[in-house]
Amino acid sequence: MKATLLLKVDPLKPDLAKIKVVADIIKRGGLVAFPTETVYGLGADALNPDAVRALFEAKKRPLDNPPIVHVENVEDVDSLAKYVPEKAKLLMKKFWPGPLTLVLERSEAIPDVTVAGLNTVAVRMPRNKVALSLIRLSGCPIAAPSANLAGRPSPTTAQHVWDDLNGRIDAILDGGPARIGVESTVLDMSIDTPLILRPGGVSFEELKNVIEDVRLHPFVAAEQEVVVGEARSPGMRHKHYAPKARMVVVEGSVPAIMVKVKELVTQYTREGSRVGVLATDETSSNYLAYVVKSLGSRFNVEAIAQNLFRLLREFDSENVDVIIAESVPAEGLGLAVMNRLRKASGYNIVKADKLP
Ligand code: TXA
Ligand code: MG
């Protein structure tokens, strides 16, 4: 067990002396959790194979699922990628720093373990002052998966990181709650037609405005589990975001969702289960369950994304047996929300509008 150092920093005016302390930990091959605009990341020197191996171990992450390599400026990508396609340059100009990860052909400078033996590397420049200062002061690109134990919801606060990783990592930089709340969009630029492998903070619609030929991988909007072998991203194969309770997602029009959720609440309660409902501001007062939580207003998908992982974690501490979650429209940021909800449920989806 390690003594995990917890350091609070002002997200807008970070104290560089504090960040220097943890940057030195990274330089020495240690593990530091830090805030980004999407979720908290668990960082290690991307060029130090031992540090990256320790990173996988701390998270209990399978070695075949590579982390994202975080950079502090666009030029840093040149040493990580074999080459940077023109379209990728355009996207960096438009969306960096920000929640867009680009998969590029890797250079030989990166250790195999950092890319899980793949011939590509995922890179991103985060839009968060604490993260950018940390990368700069560390003097190396930082490999950082989300700072949760593998399979758990991604952390959007330093407390979430503490709950999962206290004693397993060297330090946590607390820069307040994450602004976006869902992870970055992962876009494969190593193939002719750019392909979204994970929906996230930059929407499909926004990307289409810049590069017309971008496509969604069928699994991104999938309503079923991925078939191994067809997955282009290792992350598609692994269990994700799972709360302790079993979960069901109810999809359809809002009136039909409300009818179906009520019906399921009654059924599960009768069976003796403690039922949690993950609802929205517009619908939550309609349910009589053991716990009802609201993601936020249906008219504010940004708030819904921000609250999602926190609420999934809260249900764990409420000890519910089953979570019934309402769906939101799968467009814009809503696609990322629905992708996470469906994965969290293990693709246990009920269509509310379907006639019996
Ligand atoms: O917002 C984010 O992206 C956060 C913050 C910390 O930056 N990071 C994050 O990392 O979500 P992680 O490791 O939890 O998710 C990275 C995803 C995984 O699904 C992984 O399979 C995929 O990116 N990935 C990494 N390298 C890849 C590659 N070379 N090709 C395809 N997918 C890759
Ligand atoms: Mg993750």
Side-chain angles (χ1 to χ4, degrees):
M1 190 103 165
K2 292 183 182 197
T4 302
L5 175 71
L6 183 61
L7 283 178
K8 248 193 176 49
V9 282
D10 182 337
L12 301 175
K13 272 201 197 130
D15 177 350
L16 292 183
K18 281 187 187 168
I19 297 184
K20 181 87 179 44
V21 171
V22 294
D24 285 341
I25 296 177
I26 297 266
K27 277 186 191 168
R28 288 198 304 267
L31 305 178
V32 176
F34 61 96
T36 82
E37 79 280 33
T38 55
V39 300
Y40 274 70
L42 177 61
D45 178 350
L47 304 180
N48 177 341
D50 291 333
V52 175
R53 264 189 289 273
L55 178 67
F56 280 99
E57 207 175 291
K59 265 194 67 117
K60 302 189 182 168
R61 178 166 172 131
L63 277 163
D64 68 351
N65 191 12
I68 292 167
V69 178
H70 294 68
V71 296
E72 182 251 330
N73 64 63
V74 172
E75 289 72 45
D76 286 351
V77 176
D78 294 337
S79 63
L80 301 169
K82 199 181 253 172
Y83 66 94
V84 182
E86 283 309 313
K87 275 182 201 164
K89 285 185 187 153
L90 199 65
L91 291 169
M92 289 174 186
K93 212 166 160 185
K94 179 88 185 160
F95 296 107
W96 280 15
L100 177 66
T101 294
L102 301 173
V103 174
L104 304 170
E105 274 189 55
R106 67 177 276 204
S107 79
E108 296 307 314
I110 314 173
D112 281 341
V113 64
T114 304
V115 293
L118 298 176
N119 55 12
T120 52
V121 60
V123 287
R124 114 170 169 95
M125 178 175 167
R127 184 182 283 273
N128 177 294
K129 281 193 179 153
V130 178
L132 292 171
S133 311
L134 175 66
I135 304 166
R136 183 161 34 81
L137 294 175
S138 299
C140 59
I142 293 186
S146 48
N148 51 285
L149 281 175
R152 299 259 301 139
S154 294
T156 54
T157 64
Q159 180 68 50
H160 296 161
V161 180
W162 181 267
D163 293 343
D164 277 17
L165 298 174
N166 175 30
R168 303 181 66 83
I169 63 177
D170 297 293
I172 301 172
L173 272 179
D174 181 354
R179 186 171 53 82
I180 296 178
V182 292
E183 304 91 334
S184 62
T185 302
V186 178
L187 181 63
D188 191 347
M189 300 298 296
S190 71
I191 45 179
D192 282 343
T193 310
L195 189 63
I196 296 176
L197 303 178
R198 178 178 74 182
V202 174
S203 70
F204 181 35
E205 293 84 349
E206 285 173 287
L207 288 172
K208 268 195 290 198
N209 282 335
V210 181
I211 44 167
E212 284 169 11
D213 59 346
V214 59
R215 288 175 306 142
L216 273 180
H217 192 290
F219 293 140
V220 164
E223 300 184 1
Q224 281 174 41
E225 199 112 28
V226 170
V227 181
V228 178
E230 288 177 43
R232 266 203 71 82
S233 183
M236 290 176 170
R237 290 195 293 264
H238 296 286
K239 198 173 151 72
H240 265 93
Y241 315 119
K244 288 176 195 151
R246 88 192 139 99
M247 186 166 155
V248 50
V249 182
V250 179
E251 301 190 7
S253 62
V254 177
I257 287 176
M258 285 170 61
V259 171
K260 188 48 123 188
V261 170
K262 275 186 191 167
E263 200 180 297
L264 290 174
V265 170
T266 309
Q267 183 193 322
Y268 290 131
T269 307
R270 198 180 296 141
E271 290 169 5
S273 294
R274 266 196 308 255
V275 181
V277 178
L278 191 53
T280 47
D281 288 354
E282 288 76 18
T283 58
S284 60
S285 64
N286 291 285
Y287 306 129
L288 286 169
Y290 181 71
V291 202
V292 181
K293 292 182 186 289
S294 176
L295 283 163
S297 169
R298 290 188 158 270
F299 300 103
N300 186 355
V301 71
E302 285 78 18
I304 289 179
Q306 239 170 32
N307 293 327
L308 177 66
F309 288 138
R310 175 176 58 81
L311 293 181
L312 287 179
R313 280 176 178 263
E314 281 180 22
F315 274 119
D316 280 350
S317 42
E318 306 261 11
N319 277 316
V320 296
D321 302 305
V322 56
I323 302 167
I324 305 170
E326 292 185 355
S327 67
V328 298
E331 53 203 42
L333 196 55
L335 181 63
V337 170
M338 284 311 297
N339 171 267
R340 307 309 187 269
L341 276 177
R342 286 165 172 163
K343 277 191 162 191
S345 76
Y347 296 91
N348 187 12
I349 298 165
V350 170
K351 294 284 182 192
D353 290 291
K354 225 187 218 156
L355 295 170

